[in-house]
């Protein structure tokens, strides 16, 4: 029998952390400590029983057993299991809340098509960013190529995540 060539990416975090974490490659992330900031995870995210997370969360498959303060948006499924306590709004195509878990907020169930459309709305083109920031497109291209503006070059155009732009603006990066 042939061994798997790619090792499974597992991160088990049992620490106090703060900031913005974005995982573009699929991972299995488990948070057991405290986290304050924002999380974007491709793959599986587990918030352990003793974890306290104060963050907006975007992910594919999320399981929560700890405490979360923040909005949660998933593209596949969200499970809230005891002794979980979730305070925030939820957008998920599949939502499971097990008896004994606490959820305070508003939930919205999305089908796969709606979930994909929602995520695509969060990615802006160069033209959309220029309108959003009310500056010339050439300035956006210049900032992006110089690494001053958070974006990713795909083929011959740039793509920008709205949440990253909003963070950039909030941190007064515009000069």
């Amino acid at each position: 029998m042939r061994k798997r060539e790619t090792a499974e990416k597992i991160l088990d975090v049992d620490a106090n952390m703060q900031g913005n974490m974005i995982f573009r490659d699929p991972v299995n992330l488990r948070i057991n400590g405290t986290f304050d900031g924002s999380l974007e995870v491709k793959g599986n995210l587990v918030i352990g029983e003793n974890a306290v997370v104060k963050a907006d969360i975007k992910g594919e498959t999320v399981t929560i057993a700890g405490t979360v303060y923040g909005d949660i948006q998933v593209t596949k499924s969200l499970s809230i299991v005891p002794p979980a306590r979730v305070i925030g709004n939820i957008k998920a195509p599949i939502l499971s809340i097990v008896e004994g878990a606490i959820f305070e907020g508003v939930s919205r169930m999305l089908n796969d098509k709606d979930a994909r459309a929602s995520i695509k709305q969060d990615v802006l083109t160069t033209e959309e960013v220029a309108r959003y920031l009310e500056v010339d497109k050439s300035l956006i291209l210049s900032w992006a190529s110089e690494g001053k503006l958070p974006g990713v070059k795909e083929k011959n155009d740039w793509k920008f995540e709205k949440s990253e732009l909003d963070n950039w603006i909030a941190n007064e990066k515009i000069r």
Side-chain angles (χ1 to χ4, degrees), residues 87-136:
I87 311 296
N89 299 319
I90 293 172
K91 291 182 183 177
I94 298 172
L95 173 62
S96 169
I97 303 175
V98 177
E99 184 177 347
I102 297 170
F103 165 59
E104 177 67 36
V106 176
S107 67
R108 182 168 163 225
M109 305 290 284
L110 300 172
N111 63 32
D112 286 343
K113 180 182 171 189
D114 291 340
R116 283 192 301 274
S118 174
I119 288 172
K120 284 185 181 176
Q121 287 175 352
D122 288 343
V123 178
L124 305 175
T125 65
T126 306
E127 292 80 11
E128 291 168 329
V129 173
R131 282 194 302 274
Y132 184 62
L133 297 179
E134 298 177 357
V135 297
D136 190 67

Side-chain angles (χ1 to χ4, degrees), residues 112-168:
D112 286 343
K113 180 182 171 189
D114 291 340
R116 283 192 301 274
S118 174
I119 288 172
K120 284 185 181 176
Q121 287 175 352
D122 288 343
V123 178
L124 305 175
T125 65
T126 306
E127 292 80 11
E128 291 168 329
V129 173
R131 282 194 302 274
Y132 184 62
L133 297 179
E134 298 177 357
V135 297
D136 190 67
K137 179 182 170 184
S138 62
L139 189 54
I140 298 299
L141 291 170
S142 172
W143 286 346
S145 1
E146 294 170 11
K148 294 179 180 177
L149 186 66
V152 176
K153 191 163 189 176
E154 291 182 2
K155 297 183 184 175
N156 293 327
D157 200 12
W158 285 87
K159 301 292 181 195
F160 304 89
E161 289 192 27
K162 188 174 180 307
S163 60
E164 288 182 16
L165 286 174
D166 290 340
N167 213 10
W168 181 77

